[in-house]
Amino acid sequence: MLIEVADASDPRLGDYVALRDTALRRSLESERGLFIAEGEKVIRRAVEAGHRPRSFLLAERWLPGLADLWEARPDVPVYVVTEAVAEAVTGFHVHRGALASLHRAAPARMADLLDARRLVVAEDVVDHTNVGALIRGAAGLGWDGVLLAPRAADPLYRRAIKVSMGTVFALPWARVNDWATALPALREAGFTVVAFALTPDAVPLDAYVAAGVPERLALVVGTEGDGLSQRWIDQADVVVSIPMSRGVDSLNVAAATAVACWALR
Amino acid sequence: MLIEVADASDPRLGDYVALRDTALRRSLESERGLFIAEGEKVIRRAVEAGHRPRSFLLAERWLPGLADLWEARPDVPVYVVTEAVAEAVTGFHVHRGALASLHRAAPARMADLLDARRLVVAEDVVDHTNVGALIRGAAGLGWDGVLLAPRAADPLYRRAIKVSMGTVFALPWARVNDWATALPALREAGFTVVAFALTPDAVPLDAYVAAGVPERLALVVGTEGDGLSQRWIDQADVVVSIPMSRGVDSLNVAAATAVACWALR
């Protein structure tokens, strides 16, 4: 259903306001149970993964590219706007000219992922870019899923989706049930829990790989700033690190995870 | 030399204006021959790497932490400002409360890097975050240097420095002399040139490693969107790829480079 909207303050565009205001978006999206996808490719992946659109916000020239999606859903409003109106609503220039608001489906549960062979478990990775990149790496390198601690950033936040290139829709992910018991639960389920941390007694990654990688493995990675909590390090079966050169403290968490996913695949 | 400045439009703060305006900063920084470092740790690394400060811009509470640097340079102005003035000048809230403007030293030349064993060569990686992350990965994983095509983003741009955690000051990097002849020059200098691209005939990374990695190697990586140019692919000795799962197109360029730097180290 095509609806031209000329007024940026039209309440029907309320799902799309102030997309760069992280705090506002977090409360708005959780209250309304929605998330925003940006760009034709990502919108398509979201819909194909089974997420139900609430509405589309499209500049006129993007109508044809997504026609199969909106024509098949006559009850879903397609707000057709100029790029100026889109910018006024969202607070930035929408390069790819196409946005969609989608219902958040009930998320997967931790239990759904426990028959996997290879899981990444992210503690408090709070940056949306890093969560998106981490999921993209795990998906691309053939891992089975990602578990997230309660305080890790939301993979369905617009920026995370974008950086992940839509892989948040392809790779199963879930929140852990409880921070304190998550790693014991994984061990109970048969995973070898490998904590990735630069502790003095950590096993270098290449030595760990050379000694033989276990059949089922959960790779545990920590926050951008402080790394893994002591509790999670203590609860792991083994601590592994990537030895660093040139006095570099560490790799970015997404890059480190990609290296580990490659080495331990 | 401590100088309190209460007016955000004071021309002495001109090095620090509008730090988020990429286009403006690019011309201002190249015209004045400066770059901006942000945060105590990064400022310290820049100075220790031999970059000469033009001035500091510090909120009062950050004075003690950098006292050894500014006290040793009585001719370098230290502009002491409130956080509100810092925000008004720079256009954003300076979380780490400390900025420095430094002279750009004459950059290294391509010729300076040709006795290396392991180089990353980045074609048009135009995103500052990616250039910073790529250099951080190459430095941390023990590679010897990075060469950049003419259109690749500037490693001394504030955001690149920040994402690199200051490793742009630790790892040698230079621009290639000429896009068209850069790879032949590397082959001439004794490097095996390995292009990283998802072409149909690319050798999978693990097979390439298993067959034995050459003594001296230049790893060539391409832009975020379109990957390597056909010219650079054609000029390489071999094309290698990381096979992707789950229909994922590719890894982020910095993550892919980190994986390759690990596998080929």
Side-chain angles (χ1 to χ4, degrees), chain A residues 125 127-138 153-155 159-165 167-168 254:
Chain A
V125 177
D127 181 278
H128 290 108
T129 301
N130 284 334
V131 163
L134 185 151
I135 291 177
R136 179 175 171 189
D154 176 12
R159 175 104 189 115
I161 295 173
K162 188 173 173 180
V163 170
S164 86
M165 302 289 281
T167 55
V168 294

Short mmCIF file of all heavy atoms in Angstrom, two decimals, chain A residues 125 127-138 153-155 159-165 167-168 254:
data_model
loop_
_atom_site.label_atom_id
_atom_site.label_comp_id
_atom_site.label_asym_id
_atom_site.label_seq_id
_atom_site.Cartn_x
_atom_site.Cartn_y
_atom_site.Cartn_z
N VAL A 125 30.42 -7.24 24.93
CA VAL A 125 30.81 -6.51 23.71
C VAL A 125 29.71 -5.47 23.47
O VAL A 125 28.65 -5.79 22.96
CB VAL A 125 30.98 -7.46 22.52
CG1 VAL A 125 31.31 -6.69 21.25
CG2 VAL A 125 32.06 -8.49 22.83
N ASP A 127 29.72 -2.51 21.77
CA ASP A 127 29.72 -1.67 20.58
C ASP A 127 28.97 -2.38 19.45
O ASP A 127 29.27 -3.53 19.12
CB ASP A 127 31.19 -1.40 20.20
CG ASP A 127 31.32 -0.52 18.99
OD1 ASP A 127 31.21 -1.05 17.86
OD2 ASP A 127 31.53 0.68 19.16
N HIS A 128 27.99 -1.69 18.86
CA HIS A 128 27.18 -2.33 17.82
C HIS A 128 28.00 -2.76 16.61
O HIS A 128 27.74 -3.79 16.00
CB HIS A 128 26.06 -1.38 17.38
CG HIS A 128 25.03 -1.18 18.43
ND1 HIS A 128 24.88 -0.01 19.15
CD2 HIS A 128 24.10 -2.03 18.94
CE1 HIS A 128 23.91 -0.14 20.01
NE2 HIS A 128 23.40 -1.35 19.92
N THR A 129 29.00 -1.95 16.27
CA THR A 129 29.87 -2.31 15.15
C THR A 129 30.58 -3.63 15.42
O THR A 129 30.67 -4.50 14.55
CB THR A 129 30.92 -1.19 14.94
OG1 THR A 129 30.24 0.02 14.67
CG2 THR A 129 31.84 -1.53 13.79
N ASN A 130 31.09 -3.77 16.63
CA ASN A 130 31.82 -4.99 16.97
C ASN A 130 30.91 -6.21 17.00
O ASN A 130 31.30 -7.29 16.52
CB ASN A 130 32.53 -4.82 18.32
CG ASN A 130 33.77 -3.95 18.20
OD1 ASN A 130 34.38 -3.86 17.15
ND2 ASN A 130 34.15 -3.31 19.29
N VAL A 131 29.71 -6.07 17.53
CA VAL A 131 28.79 -7.21 17.54
C VAL A 131 28.44 -7.62 16.11
O VAL A 131 28.44 -8.80 15.77
CB VAL A 131 27.52 -6.88 18.35
CG1 VAL A 131 26.39 -7.86 18.05
CG2 VAL A 131 27.84 -6.93 19.84
N GLY A 132 28.18 -6.64 15.26
CA GLY A 132 27.87 -6.94 13.86
C GLY A 132 29.03 -7.62 13.16
O GLY A 132 28.85 -8.62 12.46
N ALA A 133 30.23 -7.09 13.36
CA ALA A 133 31.41 -7.66 12.69
C ALA A 133 31.72 -9.05 13.22
O ALA A 133 32.14 -9.94 12.47
CB ALA A 133 32.62 -6.73 12.89
N LEU A 134 31.53 -9.24 14.51
CA LEU A 134 31.79 -10.54 15.13
C LEU A 134 30.84 -11.60 14.55
O LEU A 134 31.27 -12.71 14.20
CB LEU A 134 31.59 -10.37 16.64
CG LEU A 134 31.89 -11.51 17.57
CD1 LEU A 134 32.31 -10.93 18.94
CD2 LEU A 134 30.68 -12.40 17.79
N ILE A 135 29.57 -11.26 14.41
CA ILE A 135 28.61 -12.22 13.87
C ILE A 135 28.91 -12.50 12.39
O ILE A 135 28.86 -13.65 11.94
CB ILE A 135 27.16 -11.71 14.08
CG1 ILE A 135 26.85 -11.74 15.59
CG2 ILE A 135 26.15 -12.53 13.27
CD1 ILE A 135 25.48 -11.22 15.97
N ARG A 136 29.28 -11.46 11.65
CA ARG A 136 29.65 -11.66 10.24
C ARG A 136 30.82 -12.62 10.12
O ARG A 136 30.83 -13.52 9.27
CB ARG A 136 30.00 -10.30 9.63
CG ARG A 136 30.43 -10.34 8.17
CD ARG A 136 30.62 -8.92 7.67
NE ARG A 136 31.22 -8.84 6.35
CZ ARG A 136 31.64 -7.70 5.79
NH1 ARG A 136 31.50 -6.55 6.45
NH2 ARG A 136 32.17 -7.69 4.59
N GLY A 137 31.82 -12.46 10.98
CA GLY A 137 32.98 -13.33 10.94
C GLY A 137 32.64 -14.77 11.29
O GLY A 137 33.05 -15.71 10.61
N ALA A 138 31.87 -14.94 12.36
CA ALA A 138 31.50 -16.29 12.78
C ALA A 138 30.68 -16.98 11.71
O ALA A 138 30.88 -18.17 11.41
CB ALA A 138 30.72 -16.23 14.11
N ALA A 153 25.84 -5.80 23.11
CA ALA A 153 24.99 -4.96 22.27
C ALA A 153 24.01 -5.80 21.47
O ALA A 153 24.23 -6.99 21.22
CB ALA A 153 25.85 -4.12 21.33
N ASP A 154 22.92 -5.16 21.04
CA ASP A 154 21.81 -5.80 20.34
C ASP A 154 22.16 -6.04 18.87
O ASP A 154 22.36 -5.10 18.12
CB ASP A 154 20.61 -4.85 20.45
CG ASP A 154 19.39 -5.33 19.70
OD1 ASP A 154 19.37 -6.50 19.27
OD2 ASP A 154 18.44 -4.53 19.55
N PRO A 155 22.19 -7.28 18.42
CA PRO A 155 22.49 -7.56 17.00
C PRO A 155 21.45 -7.00 16.04
O PRO A 155 21.73 -6.88 14.86
CB PRO A 155 22.52 -9.08 16.93
CG PRO A 155 22.79 -9.54 18.31
CD PRO A 155 22.11 -8.53 19.20
N ARG A 159 22.81 -0.32 13.19
CA ARG A 159 24.23 -0.28 12.87
C ARG A 159 24.85 -1.69 12.89
O ARG A 159 25.69 -2.02 12.08
CB ARG A 159 24.92 0.66 13.86
CG ARG A 159 26.41 0.72 13.74
CD ARG A 159 26.87 2.01 13.04
NE ARG A 159 28.29 1.89 12.76
CZ ARG A 159 28.83 1.86 11.56
NH1 ARG A 159 28.08 1.99 10.49
NH2 ARG A 159 30.12 1.73 11.39
N ALA A 160 24.42 -2.51 13.85
CA ALA A 160 24.94 -3.87 13.95
C ALA A 160 24.51 -4.69 12.72
O ALA A 160 25.31 -5.42 12.14
CB ALA A 160 24.45 -4.53 15.23
N ILE A 161 23.25 -4.54 12.34
CA ILE A 161 22.75 -5.24 11.15
C ILE A 161 23.56 -4.88 9.93
O ILE A 161 23.98 -5.73 9.14
CB ILE A 161 21.26 -4.88 10.89
CG1 ILE A 161 20.37 -5.38 12.03
CG2 ILE A 161 20.80 -5.46 9.56
CD1 ILE A 161 18.92 -4.90 11.92
N LYS A 162 23.82 -3.57 9.80
CA LYS A 162 24.50 -3.05 8.62
C LYS A 162 25.93 -3.58 8.54
O LYS A 162 26.36 -4.09 7.50
CB LYS A 162 24.49 -1.52 8.70
CG LYS A 162 24.98 -0.81 7.48
CD LYS A 162 24.74 0.69 7.68
CE LYS A 162 25.35 1.50 6.55
NZ LYS A 162 25.11 2.94 6.76
N VAL A 163 26.67 -3.48 9.65
CA VAL A 163 28.04 -3.95 9.67
C VAL A 163 28.09 -5.46 9.45
O VAL A 163 29.02 -5.99 8.85
CB VAL A 163 28.73 -3.56 11.00
CG1 VAL A 163 30.07 -4.24 11.15
CG2 VAL A 163 28.88 -2.05 11.09
N SER A 164 27.06 -6.16 9.94
CA SER A 164 27.04 -7.62 9.78
C SER A 164 26.67 -8.01 8.35
O SER A 164 26.72 -9.20 8.03
CB SER A 164 26.03 -8.25 10.74
OG SER A 164 24.73 -8.27 10.17
N MET A 165 26.31 -7.03 7.51
CA MET A 165 25.85 -7.30 6.14
C MET A 165 24.65 -8.24 6.15
O MET A 165 24.48 -9.07 5.25
CB MET A 165 26.97 -7.91 5.30
CG MET A 165 28.20 -7.06 5.21
SD MET A 165 27.96 -5.58 4.20
CE MET A 165 28.10 -6.30 2.57
N THR A 167 24.11 -10.69 8.12
CA THR A 167 24.37 -12.06 8.60
C THR A 167 23.71 -12.32 9.96
O THR A 167 23.59 -13.47 10.36
CB THR A 167 25.88 -12.35 8.71
OG1 THR A 167 26.50 -11.35 9.52
CG2 THR A 167 26.52 -12.35 7.34
N VAL A 168 23.28 -11.26 10.67
CA VAL A 168 22.51 -11.49 11.91
C VAL A 168 21.21 -12.23 11.62
O VAL A 168 20.61 -12.78 12.54
CB VAL A 168 22.20 -10.16 12.65
CG1 VAL A 168 23.48 -9.52 13.16
CG2 VAL A 168 21.43 -9.20 11.77
N ALA A 254 36.50 -8.06 17.17
CA ALA A 254 35.96 -8.75 15.99
C ALA A 254 37.09 -9.38 15.18
O ALA A 254 36.94 -10.50 14.66
CB ALA A 254 35.15 -7.78 15.13
#
